[in-house]
Amino acid sequence: MLIGALLVAFLLSIFLTPFVGKLAIKLGATDKPNERKVHSKIMPRMGGLAIFLSFFITFLIFTNDFWEQLPLLVGALVIILIGMADDIYELRAAPKFLGQVLAALIIVLWGGLEVEFINLPFFTDTLQFGIFSIPITILWIVAIINAINLIDGLDGLAGGVSTIALVTIATMALIKGDLFVAMVALTVIGSTLGFLKYNFHPAKIFMGDTGALFLGYIIAVLSLLGFKNVTMISLIVPIIILGVPISDTFFAIIRRIVNKQPISAADKSHLHHCLLDLGFTHKQTVLLIYALAACFGLAAIIFSFATMWGALILVTGILLIIEIFVEKIGLVSSNYQPLLKMLNFKNKP
């Protein structure tokens, strides 16, 4: 069943994407070149509609509890409509944000998805979130939606990174015996891989906000379904899985604070921009970020089997590597190198 869902979604996506591309052009959902874009011609976007339709049709074919999972699908539909509206009309930040919150509210309040507590390491008591459980869950969903959206800057980048995250989620779901999470993850993987046939460099179509918001939504929800109400250590697993988009978003916020810019301001200093500036080609940059995402996914799987102290050491090592990498490529700014300066100072005779 699981492999069947992946294959059906993959074939549907390959079939539907060209039609969605033609529809995007008719609706005016096109991406025009500007100083922040790396492409040089007008491109159809809204390709994420093909990913969603492939997922939705496959889900209907393979699920046995459609009505029970209706909140997941309705939340996804809200996200798709917001993404399509943005791809066609270029919405302001406020309505996009409200649409994301609405989708999160649907899955949280109607679907009952809620992180209520965590077990703290070295303590016997649990930390109950109480009235904060719903806001925390909504914050997670909205944050991951925007993290995936922010890395959608190169051909095939967001789709590939999302696929790697979903492969990790599906693997861990199978290890835990959670067939539903595995089935949904594999269905989205198939849908995204089919779309990547047209989206990998040189792209014939972009997924647009329709695709980026949907992938962010489904990844955020699946990560909570697989890891809610667990130990503090296990709660870190989905953060590691999404290490690339979360790190890029975190340091984008730091960069804007350092440069005294609004947090919502757009710039051309994201991870993929920095790698391009270092001389990597478009394809090399995408493949390098794929490799980073795969390393995070592998680390997440290892982390889930580690002892308490092993997990803490692994997290510390990951954080140090991220910081050194960020300073090396100038993700915050060319002058932001506190750790490298400290290491150079210690190495001086």
Side-chain angles (χ1 to χ4, degrees):
M1 182 184 78
L2 297 177
I3 299 300
L6 186 149
L7 290 175
V8 169
F10 175 72
L11 294 174
L12 279 170
S13 186
I14 288 179
F15 174 74
L16 291 172
T17 299
F19 294 100
V20 170
K22 293 176 183 178
L23 176 64
I25 292 173
K26 286 184 178 180
L27 295 176
T30 56
D31 202 323
K32 300 174 179 63
N34 62 34
E35 67 278 0
R36 291 186 55 248
K37 306 291 178 65
V38 297
H39 61 280
S40 56
K41 62 180 181 179
I42 295 176
M43 295 285 291
R45 54 187 179 190
M46 205 176 78
L49 180 61
I51 298 175
F52 171 73
L53 291 174
S54 304
F55 158 75
F56 182 72
I57 294 169
T58 306
F59 187 86
L60 292 181
I61 294 172
F62 286 90
T63 188
N64 295 320
D65 49 1
F66 171 79
W67 295 109
E68 184 179 338
Q69 303 306 328
L70 196 56
L72 170 69
L73 297 176
V74 173
L77 181 59
V78 169
I79 279 292
I80 286 295
L81 292 175
I82 289 295
M84 289 177 63
D86 186 56
D87 286 336
I88 297 171
Y89 303 110
E90 297 188 3
L91 300 177
R92 292 180 177 270
K96 285 175 61 175
F97 176 75
L98 291 175
Q100 295 166 17
V101 172
L102 176 59
L105 282 170
I106 289 170
I107 189 65
V108 171
L109 298 182
W110 183 12
L113 180 64
E114 189 177 341
V115 179
E116 298 174 348
F117 66 87
I118 54 173
N119 295 317
L120 298 173
F122 310 115
F123 294 92
T124 57
D125 295 334
T126 61
L127 175 61
Q128 298 285 342
F129 291 134
I131 60 173
F132 297 106
S133 60
I134 290 177
I136 288 172
T137 308
I138 292 172
L139 178 63
W140 169 265
I141 295 172
V142 172
I144 298 306
I145 288 173
N146 284 283
I148 297 298
N149 196 27
L150 281 175
I151 64 167
D152 185 26
L154 295 180
D155 298 352
L157 183 55
V161 170
S162 296
T163 299
I164 292 167
L166 287 164
V167 167
T168 308
I169 290 172
T171 301
M172 299 191 70
L174 288 171
I175 292 171
K176 296 177 63 178
D178 193 332
L179 294 182
F180 175 76
V181 170
M183 189 273 285
V184 174
L186 287 170
T187 301
V188 182
I189 288 168
S191 303
T192 309
L193 287 176
F195 174 75
L196 280 172
K197 178 182 184 300
Y198 305 94
N199 182 238
F200 196 75
H201 186 70
K204 299 179 180 67
I205 184 173
F206 294 157
M207 68 168 59
D209 273 24
T210 309
L213 299 186
F214 169 69
L215 289 175
Y217 167 81
I218 208 74
I219 289 171
V221 170
L222 290 182
S223 65
L224 290 183
L225 283 173
F227 304 104
K228 67 175 183 176
N229 296 338
V230 289
T231 65
M232 172 70 84
I233 295 300
S234 297
L235 192 64
I236 298 173
V237 169
I239 297 175
I240 298 176
I241 291 172
L242 297 164
V244 168
I246 288 176
S247 298
D248 194 27
T249 303
F250 173 78
F251 286 104
I253 294 171
I254 298 298
R255 180 171 63 250
R256 287 158 191 169
I257 292 174
V258 169
N259 295 327
K260 297 179 180 179
Q261 296 176 332
I263 291 178
S264 60
D267 62 23
K268 202 171 181 179
S269 299
H270 287 286
L271 174 59
H272 53 277
H273 293 127
C274 291
L275 293 175
L276 288 170
D277 290 341
L278 288 174
F280 291 101
T281 66
H282 191 125
K283 188 174 292 186
Q284 287 172 340
T285 297
V286 171
L287 293 175
L288 179 56
I289 297 176
Y290 282 3
L292 290 173
C295 288
F296 276 112
L298 180 60
I301 294 173
I302 295 172
F303 183 91
S304 65
F305 291 102
T307 62
M308 181 72 69
W309 285 107
L312 291 173
I313 292 171
L314 181 60
V315 168
T316 303
I318 290 172
L319 292 175
L320 286 173
I321 292 171
I322 291 173
E323 177 62 24
I324 291 173
F325 182 74
V326 165
E327 294 181 17
K328 277 283 189 182
I329 68 172
L331 192 57
V332 174
S333 74
S334 58
N335 296 322
Y336 175 80
Q337 294 183 332
L339 188 57
L340 289 176
K341 289 177 180 177
M342 183 180 70
L343 292 174
N344 286 334
F345 175 77
K346 288 187 175 181
N347 289 330
K348 288 182 179 179

